[in-house]
Each structure stands twice: as structure tokens, then as C-alpha cells.
Amino acid sequence: MRKNLGRLTRLWFKTEQKRQLDYLELGPWFHSEETTLTLDFFSKWLELSRFNHISFPSFSDKNDIKLLILALENVYQNTVLSNFKNQSRL
């Protein structure tokens, strides 16, 4: 059992090292020009779709901050619940 675990660990390290060296050799998959173009297209799409900006509270009032925290917790719980449901379907 130990020999197999050691062998698997060495193979994993070898493939991980090769993956990292390939990344250094080939460079990042997203170049700055592509990223800039993608961001420009996304912002233009938002403008064309008439996306409404979400206004955040001013944080000057203690109750506004509490409402924001409650809303974010609700979003988080819904996300966790939907992820759990999706995993149970698989």
C-alpha cells in the first residue's frame, strides 16, 4: 500500500511539474488585449441591454448595513441550497 501511494504521489508531482512548466513556456491563456476586448464587449452589451445599476446603501445608517448583511446572507443561503440540490440530482 505504501509503495503504491508513493508511486502515485511521484506521478502526480511529475505531471503537476510538467503542467506548470508548460504554463511558463506557453504563457497565460488570456492575454491583456483579449481581456480588454472582452471587458469592452461586456460593457457595451450591458449598455445595449439597458442594464439597471444596483444602488447600494450609503452605509451612513446602521440599519442600512444590517439590511445589506441580511440580503447578502439570504443570497448566500439560496446559492448554497441550489448547489446542494444540483449535487443531489447527479
Side-chain angles (χ1 to χ4, degrees):
M1 180 73 179
R2 259 192 175 167
K3 288 182 181 180
N4 288 338
L5 183 61
R7 187 177 296 138
L8 288 174
T9 305
R10 282 193 303 276
L11 288 173
W12 182 82
F13 274 113
K14 186 177 179 181
T15 56
E16 182 64 20
Q17 184 181 20
K18 184 182 181 318
R19 184 189 68 81
Q20 290 178 4
L21 288 173
D22 287 344
Y23 179 80
L24 288 175
E25 184 179 319
L26 300 174
W29 291 290
F30 298 109
H31 298 290
S32 61
E33 298 166 354
E34 294 172 343
T35 307
T36 306
L37 283 174
T38 306
L39 183 62
D40 288 341
F41 284 135
F42 182 66
S43 64
K44 288 178 184 176
W45 177 79
L46 286 175
E47 289 174 5
L48 290 174
S49 65
R50 297 182 182 157
F51 180 77
N52 293 331
H53 292 276
I54 300 171
S55 60
F56 282 99
S58 63
F59 300 118
S60 60
D61 188 18
K62 186 170 67 171
N63 292 328
D64 290 341
I65 295 172
K66 287 182 181 180
L67 285 174
L68 177 64
I69 290 171
L70 287 174
L72 290 175
E73 286 176 353
N74 190 19
V75 168
Y76 175 75
Q77 289 173 353
N78 288 338
T79 305
V80 168
L81 250 166
S82 65
N83 288 341
F84 180 72
K85 287 180 183 177
N86 289 339
Q87 286 179 356
S88 66
R89 289 182 189 165
L90 297 175

